[in-house]
Amino acid sequence: LMAGCERAPAKSRVVGAYSGTLSGASESLILHADGTFSQQVSLPSGQKITGSGTWTLKYKAIDLSGYMHFYSEEKNGTLVPPEQVTLTYTWGADMLIRDWGSGYYTLKHG
């Protein structure tokens, strides 16, 4: 019985555009087939943030090196001044998921 068992995605399935919103900010993230990504964030203030870097897939974890992190997990997704970090999302159900215990943020594929 294999119900509930989801295999790791192929890299080709993960490649593409993702989008999501959090605390009034909207984000677009594109994972390119060559292992790079580009990111655009629009904050409620009208400020635009752009970032780019590299990504790797390890089972269902997607590590983004050079990601512009714009929210605080400790403050349940409150917007903070952006900083460039290495961040890990979990891939599942055609989404990138960031779970910090008391809340989560998803970027939907497509």
Side-chain angles (χ1 to χ4, degrees):
L1 187 63
M2 296 293 283
C5 293
E6 187 178 339
R7 294 179 358 171
K11 185 175 178 181
S12 61
R13 185 161 178 205
V14 173
V15 167
Y18 295 81
S19 61
T21 59
L22 178 68
S23 300
S26 61
E27 179 178 16
S28 172
L29 184 70
I30 301 173
L31 302 180
H32 303 283
D34 67 357
T36 63
F37 74 86
S38 53
Q39 174 191 24
Q40 292 187 330
V41 178
S42 296
L43 298 177
S45 67
Q47 180 185 3
K48 305 277 189 221
I49 301 164
T50 59
S52 62
T54 59
W55 68 276
T56 56
L57 174 65
K58 297 174 189 153
Y59 186 58
K60 292 184 186 181
I62 297 175
D63 293 326
L64 301 166
S65 179
Y67 181 85
M68 293 301 292
H69 194 232
F70 61 95
Y71 58 91
S72 169
E73 282 119 348
E74 293 81 24
K75 297 179 182 176
N76 296 322
T78 301
L79 301 180
V80 295
E83 66 174 326
Q84 194 173 46
V85 299
T86 296
L87 192 73
T88 301
Y89 276 95
T90 301
W91 189 92
D94 281 336
M95 291 187 289
L96 299 179
I97 304 161
R98 183 78 180 150
D99 184 352
W100 58 82
S102 61
Y104 66 95
Y105 174 52
T106 60
L107 292 165
K108 293 181 182 165
H109 195 241

